[in-house]
Amino acid sequence: LTMSENQQTMSTVEIETQISFEELLNLNFTMSYRRPLTTIVTALAFILLVYALFAWDPNRGTPLTRQFYIYFSIAYLIGIPIVIYARVKRYYSQSRNISEPCTYRFTQGSIEWEGFDSSGKFTWNNVRKIHKVGKFIVLTQDAIQMYVIRKEAFSPSQFEQFKEFVKVNRVHNSLGR
């Protein structure tokens, strides 16, 4: 390699990654239940269910109210995981870019990705936050658009270079030092 080719290689981090349906599902459950609102409402539904089943005072409420508490709690505690599962299953089956291998190229100025039948490029300014969730790195652009990358797809030196790009571009992140 010439000096300029070596500098170009050093300034680009290229990785290939792919995730399974189960991994995407687990990631979505983890991210959903990390949200404070989801955690609080789930805890309240569980408390309401325990109260309705074990601590209900028939002199203070009607049987209809008790039934409502039980049905509402069960519907929420079972419904949310079913909705998450259905959403992930639909997304995974419809998006070949998530179910097929994807190549990412990170430079100090931009991020490029190339999937099965599409590709794209955007600048670091378009990245709202980068989350480290278990063994995954999640680049979030907005409430809908996210890119999921296996952390193990990076070599240690590539991951350090990636973190340097994040730092230089001042992207909010939870990657650690």
Side-chain angles (χ1 to χ4, degrees):
L1 295 175
T2 67
M3 180 70 144
S4 62
E5 287 174 332
N6 192 29
Q7 288 173 339
Q8 181 66 27
T9 304
M10 293 294 284
S11 63
T12 300
V13 173
E14 183 173 319
I15 60 164
E16 186 172 306
T17 188
Q18 180 180 6
I19 64 171
S20 70
F21 171 75
E22 291 79 16
E23 291 170 324
L24 185 62
L25 183 62
N26 287 335
L27 177 66
N28 272 268
F29 276 123
T30 301
M31 291 181 71
S32 294
Y33 283 100
R34 275 190 176 179
R35 293 186 182 125
L37 182 61
T38 306
T39 304
I40 290 168
V41 174
T42 300
L44 290 175
F46 183 74
I47 290 167
L48 190 62
L49 180 62
V50 169
Y51 171 73
L53 290 174
F54 303 110
W56 186 259
D57 182 3
N59 298 323
R60 295 192 66 199
T62 67
L64 188 59
T65 305
R66 181 179 184 213
Q67 286 176 347
F68 171 77
Y69 287 173
I70 291 170
Y71 292 139
F72 172 79
S73 298
I74 290 172
Y76 183 83
L77 293 171
I78 294 173
I80 292 299
I82 289 171
V83 167
I84 292 170
Y85 178 85
R87 187 185 68 205
V88 170
K89 184 172 180 155
R90 185 182 72 243
Y91 179 66
Y92 194 82
S93 65
Q94 291 177 352
S95 177
R96 295 178 88 168
N97 287 329
I98 205 77
S99 60
E100 299 289 332
C102 188
T103 301
Y104 290 89
R105 285 176 208 83
F106 302 97
T107 65
Q108 187 167 334
S110 66
I111 301 166
E112 295 179 45
W113 60 272
E114 187 176 339
F116 181 77
D117 56 4
S118 62
S119 61
K121 181 177 182 175
F122 53 94
T123 64
W124 287 97
N125 293 338
N126 297 104
V127 179
R128 191 177 81 194
K129 185 171 182 180
I130 299 176
H131 308 270
K132 181 178 178 288
V133 183
K135 58 184 178 179
F136 298 102
I137 305 297
V138 181
L139 282 77
T140 306
Q141 283 189 305
D142 53 42
I144 298 171
Q145 189 65 45
M146 292 189 274
Y147 301 90
V148 180
I149 303 166
R150 273 183 190 280
K151 185 175 183 260
E152 63 194 34
F154 293 96
S155 70
S157 63
Q158 286 177 318
F159 191 65
E160 288 305 314
Q161 183 66 46
F162 173 76
K163 288 191 335 186
E164 187 62 30
F165 293 153
V166 171
K167 181 180 174 184
V168 166
N169 286 285
R170 297 183 176 155
V171 178
H172 185 67
N173 69 84
S174 62
L175 297 175
R177 296 218 175 250

